[in-house]
Amino acid sequence: MSDLNPFRNAQAQLDEAAVILGLDKATHELLRWPMREHRFTLPVRMDSGETRIFHAYRIQYNAARGPTKGGLRWHPDETIDTVRALAAWMTWKTSVVDIPLGGGKGGVTCNPKEMSEREKERLARAYIRATADLLGVDRDVPAPDVYTTPQIMAWMLDEYETIKGHSHPGVITGKPLPLGGSQGRGDATARGGIYVVREAAKTRKLSGDLSYAVQGFGNAGQFAATLHKEILGSGKLVAVSDSGGGVYNKNGLDPQKLVHHKRETGRVGGFPGAEPISNEALLELDVDVLYPSALENAITGDNAERIKAKIMCELANGPTTPDADKILHKNGVFVLPDFLANAGGVTVSYFEQVQNTYNYYWTLEDVHQQLDRRMTSAFAAVHAMSQKQKVHMRLAAYLVAVSRVAEACKLRGWV
Ligand code: NAD
């Protein structure tokens, strides 16, 4: 049975890297746990007049390399352990792409699908009232994640600036453009992932019309579907899914039309010219590239043997359990691990902070160029490590990222 607690899985992944790196006991223990954890109980007035109580978290995992940085998730299944795991992965993510930030994450246990816009605004403002003193450009910087949007970032920025009494655009990233957002932030996660798929395809000697499937059709998944062809020059999208199930056509699906269909109907199901496919079957398709872009634990010890993709680009955080990883490696599936594959989002968030700080804004071309450079060099560092240590890409990414964080902790005299 796979362990489905994402934080225990994050710790198990770190433990494996710690042995190879020969980390001393204190450094290893320090990196296994968040340095700071905060829990909040937020009363929010609903449209009905009733007051509902929400449980919320902010975890500042490690700040050795710079202020903590990480998204805010709103999800019914959010727990302190999902937030801890995501905060740990943020720490490794900022490190693997070598940006001067630490890792953090926030979460609220709630179901935004059942909330009105006004209720979401009140929840966003309540979250900031609880966390304002913990946040800051030089302390901790939130951003969007699952079910949080640029509009939610805008309300949060407004509440923060109202409390502090002056302008602080860099305190939150993923903002709408008129409030100091960056060009290219919306599709940055998927774009960064496809840049590393391009590099992986070169090392695997894969070329031509690569077939691909996308699990999860939200922010990351929709952009992956549309940008794959644009960045690689060609490609055939054969299946996509969302929480309601998937659609499949072996001859190819039009990504733009699918995005339109999802926007119009709220789901991918019922897309004309496609047959239904379950989420489980989608993951097991014989494709060149699989993009898990939904949530944790999609690929476990139960289905890993049946994964046939040549490259798996983990746009989601934590889609693969450690026991599944071993099976994928044995079967020659080339995994681009989450905190490398989806680091494009935080990288452009970092560009957004830089632009906010010097109050000068880049063009879209500048953002794409800088993102490509960072992702390509992160891939090269991880790939070189995997060749040198003869380990799979996830372990190699851990070796690169953890050694940088450990070095920063040592230089500060913490361990
Ligand atoms: P989102 O809320 O926009 O989309 C999530 C999608 O997954 C939705 O379409 C939902 O229907 C679908 N989904 C949920 N459960 C599913 C299931 N069992 N099978 C198939 N589909 C399912 O979220 P997002 O921002 O696209 O994030 C997706 C993943 O990418 C998360 O793991 C997130 O942490 C990660 N991520 C996102 C960003 C970003 O910038 N958006 C950055 C880094 C990592």
Side-chain angles (χ1 to χ4, degrees), residues 63-361:
R65 288 172 44 85
T68 49
K69 176 92 189 82
L72 171 65
R73 266 199 198 194
W74 287 5
H75 197 275
D77 300 334
E78 209 62 73
T79 66
I80 188 118
D81 273 347
T82 55
V83 185
R84 283 172 170 158
L86 290 157
W89 289 323
M90 280 308 298
T91 307
W92 316 136
K93 194 181 300 191
T94 53
S95 177
V96 85
V97 283
D98 206 9
I99 53 182
L101 297 171
K105 201 83 185 186
V108 180
T109 313
C110 67
N111 188 352
K113 288 184 179 172
E114 291 173 356
M115 293 167 69
S116 72
E117 286 302 289
R118 294 281 72 82
E119 289 170 342
K120 288 185 204 169
E121 177 176 352
R122 288 195 285 270
L123 177 59
R125 290 185 186 277
Y127 188 81
I128 289 299
R129 285 197 298 279
T131 56
D133 283 343
L134 308 168
L135 306 179
V137 207
D138 50 3
R139 305 183 84 177
D140 184 16
V141 178
D145 199 88
V146 173
Y147 298 145
T148 55
T149 58
Q151 176 60 72
I152 292 173
M153 300 304 114
W155 290 323
M156 296 205 310
L157 176 71
D158 183 67
E159 189 69 20
Y160 184 86
E161 293 185 339
T162 304
I163 292 168
K164 298 291 172 184
H166 45 105
S167 168
H168 284 276
V171 74
I172 284 167
T173 60
K175 301 177 291 290
L177 282 177
L179 296 187
S182 177
Q183 295 283 353
R185 177 62 183 85
D187 69 13
T189 301
R191 180 175 289 275
I194 298 166
Y195 289 146
V196 292
V197 165
R198 181 193 64 204
E199 297 307 303
K202 285 183 205 160
T203 70
R204 309 308 284 172
K205 311 248 179 306
L206 288 173
S207 57
D209 220 12
L210 303 186
S211 60
Y212 63 109
V214 179
Q215 182 231 15
F217 208 55
N219 177 300
Q222 291 186 25
F223 282 119
T226 50
L227 289 177
H228 176 105
K229 278 187 180 185
E230 185 187 313
I231 294 171
L232 300 184
S234 66
K236 186 168 71 172
L237 174 65
V238 294
V240 302
S241 66
D242 60 21
S243 53
V247 289
Y248 169 74
N249 185 334
K250 69 175 185 331
N251 298 317
L253 298 159
D254 184 325
Q256 298 291 358
K257 287 188 180 152
L258 265 166
V259 170
H260 182 74
H261 175 82
K262 168 89 181 170
R263 204 177 301 135
E264 293 296 303
T265 66
R267 59 195 199 106
V268 295
F271 183 65
E275 52 188 271
I277 185 169
S278 68
N279 265 305
E280 295 71 38
L282 177 142
L283 294 169
E284 296 166 15
L285 287 172
D286 189 0
V287 286
D288 293 309
V289 189
L290 174 65
Y291 291 96
S293 316
L295 292 173
E296 302 88 44
N297 300 327
I299 294 121
T300 67
D302 296 336
N303 62 354
E305 274 300 349
R306 297 190 297 276
I307 303 293
K308 299 178 202 71
K310 297 187 182 67
I311 295 175
M312 195 170 95
C313 176
E314 296 181 338
L315 293 180
N317 283 307
T320 309
T321 58
D323 55 341
D325 243 341
K326 292 190 175 63
I327 300 170
L328 296 175
H329 182 51
K330 166 178 76 71
N331 290 348
V333 179
F334 190 79
V335 176
L336 291 163
D338 48 8
F339 68 83
L340 168 66
N342 68 32
V346 72
T347 303
V348 175
S349 272
Y350 163 63
F351 297 161
E352 183 175 332
Q353 273 183 272
V354 169
Q355 295 168 76
N356 293 150
T357 303
Y358 65 72
N359 204 11
Y360 176 81
Y361 288 82

